[in-house]
Structure formats: C-alpha cells, structure tokens
Amino acid sequence: MDFTEKALVLRVGRFRETDAWVRMLTPTRGVLTAFAFGGMKSRRRFPGCLDPLNLVLFKFGSDRRGRYLNLDEGTLLHGHPVLRRNQRNLGVAVNCLKFVEAVQVASEGAEESYELLLSLLSLLEREVPQPESLPLLFRARLGFSQGYRPDFLSCGECGSLVGDFDSPRFFVEKGQVLCPSCLVDNGAESGLPMSSGSLRALDWIMTHPPGEWPRLTVPPTVRQEFSLAVERFMAYHLGLEWEGGFFRNV
Ligand SMILES: [Zn+2]
C-alpha cells in the first residue's frame, strides 16, 4: 500500500541511532504513526521535515506483510516559523498537538480535525491577545466534533430555546441540554447547571473558525462553566483527563 498524503507532524521519537517514528494527523486517515528508517540521518529524503508542527507531504509505503507504515520521503510544505519563535504561542500549539494525539482522531472526522488544527496554527502565527485561552476552545471544538456533537441552544426533549427558560442544565452523558420541566420528567438526574451565556459561547465556538476566536470575550463565571462542561464531556466520552501537562486516560 503506497500513497502520498499531507500530514501535520504531532510528535517525533527516535529509536536506534538513525531511525525515527513519526506521529501525525492526516486529512483522510486521521492520526497515524509511521517509521522513518534512516530518517535522522537522511537530509535528502526528509529535508527539515521531522519535527512537530511541520506540514509535510509524505510518501508512505508499508513493509511486505503490511504490518506497519513507513515513510519513503517527505517534502516540507510549511514549518510555521513565526509560531516557533513565539514562546507563548508555541506552548499553546504544543498543548493542542498533545490533545489531537490523545484523542486519536480516526479517519471519520479526520478532515474536519485536520482543517481545525491547521487554522489554529495559522492563527498562532500572529500575535493573539490571551493565547492561553485557546487550548480550552480547541478542545471543545475538536472533542465535541468527534461524533457526539451536542445541541447547545435548545432543550433536548421539548425543543424549547435556551434563553426562553431559566436554569438550563447540561447532561454530559447524553450530550444534551434540558429545561427545568423536562428535567422533572427525567427524574432526579442533576446535570451541570449552565447559564445561557455559557451555552451560547459553546455553540459559538462550534460554528466559528479559530481565526475568529480572539473576538470571543467571556466573563470568568461563563469561562468556569464552559471549562467544566468541556472537561467532564472529554472525560466521559473520550476517556481523557488533563493532568500535569499530559492527557491521561481515565
Ligand atoms: Zn424541555
């Protein structure tokens, strides 16, 4: 199986003296790992390619039995040079790469995730006010896109619009918002109390490209609710928790 595909490099590891493995996000196959035998030595086959944050056009092959993928050669398309020189934005980018790797994006949803990551990196190529707020928004957008996309703007049972009723609650397990009347019908399950402002912010992130995210200003209370909903949802549906600089499986 030989093919050529663009890939955004997430992580590179070295083994033996000159070999490397490369984990990357591709637009049609999702997250892949492939081996670059001799990759650490060969400037001719992988010129400037084998580093995280690089967008590379790779030529893939596989071993004879098709057990693993290897990289035959690569052409660097974009290395995000401005982002690399900006320590603050670089930290944000690395955090988002780790999340993509932890989610293990499959081929379904790969294109959306790929486009999303590339637009985020292109946003980080410029000066952004408060870049530290971006990883949470990125996790929300990518996580909620992985097949569980909730409707944040109406009650999941009766369809009443958020804003037309008080005290909406978000149910992580079902990925649904419920109004107080439907909550009673559903028994005593509590759900997360959310303001309509937080629900609108979540919806806004799902429907606007990263380039527009710096326009979103949220008060601290909204940010807290937003963050709690995102982290709970990721833990429940994707089995991921952020701890000490890494995503760990829960
Ligand atoms: Zn309802």
Side-chain angles (χ1 to χ4, degrees):
M1 180 178 63
D2 290 357
F3 59 93
T4 300
E5 188 161 16
K6 285 182 194 173
L8 194 287
V9 177
L10 303 173
R11 194 138 74 100
V12 179
R14 210 174 165 144
F15 67 103
R16 294 197 296 246
E17 205 168 310
T18 59
D19 302 333
W21 54 263
V22 183
R23 195 155 296 144
M24 62 200 111
L25 176 65
T26 67
T28 62
R29 294 167 169 88
V31 172
L32 294 179
T33 304
F35 298 102
F37 294 106
M40 292 323 227
K41 209 177 59 180
S42 177
R43 290 174 185 279
R44 189 177 51 84
R45 283 165 58 221
F46 302 104
C49 293
L50 302 184
D51 281 305
L53 289 176
N54 281 344
L55 180 63
V56 179
L57 184 66
F58 278 122
K59 217 169 132 188
F60 293 81
S62 53
D63 74 314
R64 277 191 207 146
R65 294 194 200 156
R67 290 167 306 179
Y68 56 82
L69 286 173
N70 53 47
L71 299 170
D72 294 333
E73 56 182 51
T75 308
L76 181 64
L77 302 176
H78 187 24
H80 298 101
V82 182
L83 166 54
R84 281 177 203 282
R85 288 194 297 271
N86 183 331
Q87 279 305 317
R88 210 173 158 194
N89 288 10
L90 185 60
V92 169
V94 167
N95 183 303
C96 293
L97 294 193
K98 282 184 187 170
F99 184 68
V100 172
E101 193 188 351
V103 167
Q104 296 171 335
V105 174
S107 52
E108 182 197 345
E111 190 172 3
E112 193 182 343
S113 306
Y114 173 85
E115 295 298 338
L116 183 68
L117 181 58
L118 287 193
S119 353
L120 180 87
L121 297 180
S122 122
L123 169 66
L124 290 172
E125 284 265 281
R126 42 187 174 95
E127 278 301 331
V128 190
Q130 294 187 314
E132 293 77 14
S133 65
L134 294 171
L136 174 67
L137 308 184
F138 181 76
R139 292 208 283 283
R141 176 69 178 265
L142 185 75
F144 287 133
S145 308
Q146 301 299 305
Y148 316 97
R149 184 167 177 167
D151 174 0
F152 296 107
L153 295 185
S154 57
C155 171
E157 289 288 335
C158 70
S160 300
L161 295 178
V162 162
D164 289 352
F165 56 84
D166 292 327
S167 320
R169 283 176 182 257
F170 179 61
F171 288 77
V172 167
E173 301 80 1
K174 298 179 188 159
Q176 264 187 347
V177 174
L178 288 184
C179 74
S181 346
C182 294
L183 191 63
V184 172
D185 296 345
N186 268 271
E189 290 290 328
S190 54
L192 285 175
M194 302 272 289
S195 61
S196 46
S198 306
L199 292 166
R200 288 206 185 92
L202 281 166
D203 179 73
W204 195 89
I205 287 302
M206 297 307 292
T207 48
H208 290 74
E212 294 185 32
W213 292 356
R215 281 172 42 209
L216 180 74
T217 47
V218 289
T221 49
V222 165
R223 190 176 162 75
Q224 254 170 21
E225 289 179 357
F226 185 110
S227 164
L228 193 61
V230 173
E231 303 308 343
R232 291 260 181 97
F233 192 88
M234 297 314 134
Y236 185 84
H237 291 283
L238 302 175
L240 291 175
E241 203 167 79
W242 173 254
E243 193 184 271
F246 292 94
F247 292 97
R248 71 180 183 94
N249 290 305
V250 288

